[in-house]
């Protein structure tokens, strides 16, 4: 079995010694090629190359951002970069997961939501042991993905997307990371609290529409999920859409009020309740939907899998079933 391992050398929770141990362990089980990512988008380029060259498996040692890039390279190859194949040289993207390289995930980030959603340990060494067991036993799981489309562009996401306040918080944290600070759970919480004081709580911008979906206006913030939990605060899962699953369509939780009296009960619920949906007249909720659109009266912050992608005025979200095979 030929495998390409993509390593993010700046991954939050690994060091060079740990990476060497993991590389040796994987190299003993498969014919392994190791590539380090060097810039934003590099993992997508390398994954596209692996698919074009017929690799059986693409493994990722990194956080959710590196995994997202890799998945997009496997499903939606891009041009650019010194190792990227030209579009004309790429085989067509297979219609089913069985026609693409399988994915191996080894968590190396701060949250590792996708890996934990798959049931992998959060520790990279323990996760490698679980992956090696899956390799020996030939265990694969086929999962669905989400896809976001806007202004002629599209991008897949593995576990979540967001428009509004949560994307604003991610934008702020990315700014802190650019200044050399680590993206820890406490930093996200503190940034969210500080940013809340600056958020416009009186003028919602978004409207939700979709075939067979009641139109919902006045949405301040929308969380779109492909699985549950949506994220973690340390070891505590956060479940705004507890029924979401890799095996169903997309779920959504939208907030039409952002005042403390409306927001605090929702926060308490999603931190403490496991299977019950949040309740309230100011909430917009969808479960197992195939497609819907969020439009905004002004540019709104937008994120996919915890990666800030700028501001958008209209984004359509689709469920892509049976999109990816994962060794887990």
């Amino acid at each position: 079995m030929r495998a390409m391992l993509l390593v993010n050398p700046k991954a939050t929770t690994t060091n060079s010694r740990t990476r060497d141990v993991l590389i040796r362990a994987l190299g003993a089980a498969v014919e392994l090629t190791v590539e380090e990512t060097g810039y934003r988008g590099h993992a997508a380029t390398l994954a596209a190359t692996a698919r074009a060259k017929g690799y059986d498996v693409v493994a990722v040692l990194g956080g959710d951002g590196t995994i997202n890039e890799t998945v997009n390279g496997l499903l939606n190859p891009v041009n650019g970069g010194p190792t990227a194949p030209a579009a004309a040289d790429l085989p067509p993207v297979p219609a089913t997961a069985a026609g693409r390289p399988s994915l191996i995930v080894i968590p190396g980030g701060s949250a590792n939501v996708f890996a934990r959603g798959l049931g992998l340990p959060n520790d990279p060494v323990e996760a490698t042991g679980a992956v090696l067991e899956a390799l020996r036993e030939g265990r694969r799981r086929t999962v669905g993905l989400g896809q976001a489309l806007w202004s002629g562009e599209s991008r897949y996401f593995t576990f979540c997307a967001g428009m509004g306040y949560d994307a604003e918080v991610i934008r702020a944290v990315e700014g802190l990371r650019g200044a050399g600070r680590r993206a820890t759970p406490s930093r996200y919480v503190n940034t969210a609290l500080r940013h809340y004081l600056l958020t416009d709580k009186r003028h919602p911008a978004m409207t939700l529409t979709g075939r067979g979906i009641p139109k919902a206006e006045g949405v301040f913030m929308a969380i779109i999920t492909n699985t549950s939990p949506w994220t973690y605060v340390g070891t505590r899962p956060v479940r705004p859409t507890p029924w979401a699953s890799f095996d169903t369509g997309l779920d959504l939780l939208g907030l039409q009020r952002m005042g403390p009296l409306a927001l605090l009960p929702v926060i308490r619920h999603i931190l403490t309740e496991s299977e019950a949906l949040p309740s309230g007249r100011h909430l917009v909720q969808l479960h197992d939907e195939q497609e819907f659109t969020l439009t905004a009266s002004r540019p709104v912050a937008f994120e996919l899998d915890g990666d800030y992608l700028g501001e958008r005025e209209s984004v359509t979200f689709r469920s892509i079933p049976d999109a990816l095979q994962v060794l887990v």
Side-chain angles (χ1 to χ4, degrees), residues 30-324:
V30 296
E31 182 184 337
L32 190 66
T33 299
V34 180
E35 299 281 357
E36 286 195 354
T37 60
Y39 52 86
R40 187 166 184 165
H42 195 191
T45 299
L46 292 169
T49 300
R51 186 177 74 82
K53 292 185 175 180
Y55 278 80
D56 302 298
V57 174
V58 173
V60 186
L61 172 56
D64 289 311
T66 306
I67 293 167
N68 178 280
E69 288 187 10
T70 301
V71 168
N72 276 275
L74 290 175
L75 274 76
N76 190 26
V78 294
N79 290 321
T83 61
D89 297 330
L90 285 166
V93 178
T96 63
R100 307 183 186 107
S102 297
L103 182 69
I104 285 176
V105 176
I106 302 173
S110 57
N112 305 309
V113 179
F114 182 59
R116 291 157 92 172
L118 291 168
L120 285 167
N122 198 35
D123 178 80
V125 176
E126 292 181 11
T128 300
V131 164
L132 291 173
E133 184 179 291
L135 276 168
R136 287 193 298 270
E137 298 179 4
R139 291 202 311 265
R140 284 176 168 81
R141 177 181 178 183
T142 302
V143 300
L145 298 173
Q147 185 183 31
L149 305 96
W150 69 94
S151 303
E153 298 183 54
S154 71
R155 184 162 167 176
Y156 296 93
F157 57 96
T158 62
F159 64 91
C160 84
M163 293 184 72
Y165 172 68
D166 72 313
E168 294 170 7
V169 172
I170 288 170
R171 175 174 60 194
V173 172
E174 286 194 2
L176 294 173
R177 292 181 68 182
R181 301 185 184 182
R182 294 183 63 187
T184 61
S186 61
R187 177 147 291 127
Y188 274 100
V189 171
N190 291 335
T191 301
L193 291 173
R194 288 197 304 270
H195 195 74
Y196 177 75
L197 300 176
L198 305 174
T199 297
D200 183 350
K201 305 174 188 64
R202 295 186 177 182
H203 304 98
M206 290 185 287
T207 299
L208 172 70
T209 57
R211 183 178 298 177
I213 296 172
K215 183 177 181 180
E217 299 177 311
V219 178
F220 282 99
M221 167 185 171
I223 296 169
I224 300 96
T225 61
N226 188 47
T227 190
S228 184
W230 165 54
T231 190
Y232 291 83
V233 179
T235 59
R236 183 185 293 274
V238 184
R239 303 179 187 272
T241 54
W243 298 350
S245 166
F246 290 127
D247 301 318
T248 61
L250 300 178
D251 285 27
L252 175 143
L253 176 68
L255 275 65
Q256 293 175 303
R257 295 181 191 170
M258 287 290 288
L261 292 179
L263 196 58
L264 288 176
V266 176
I267 294 173
R268 182 171 59 248
H269 182 101
I270 66 179
L271 285 172
T272 58
E273 300 288 337
S274 58
E275 299 300 329
L277 291 175
S279 61
R281 289 181 297 174
H282 61 291
L283 301 181
V284 179
Q285 294 171 301
L286 299 177
H287 170 59
D288 193 14
E289 292 291 343
Q290 296 306 303
E291 182 174 322
F292 50 85
T293 298
L294 286 164
T295 56
S297 58
R298 61 179 182 269
V300 173
F302 170 53
E303 62 90 6
L304 292 181
D305 284 349
D307 187 13
Y308 177 67
L309 295 181
E311 295 183 334
R312 302 287 181 267
E313 294 183 14
S314 180
V315 181
T316 295
F317 299 92
R318 290 178 182 165
S319 173
I320 311 297
D322 302 327
L324 189 68

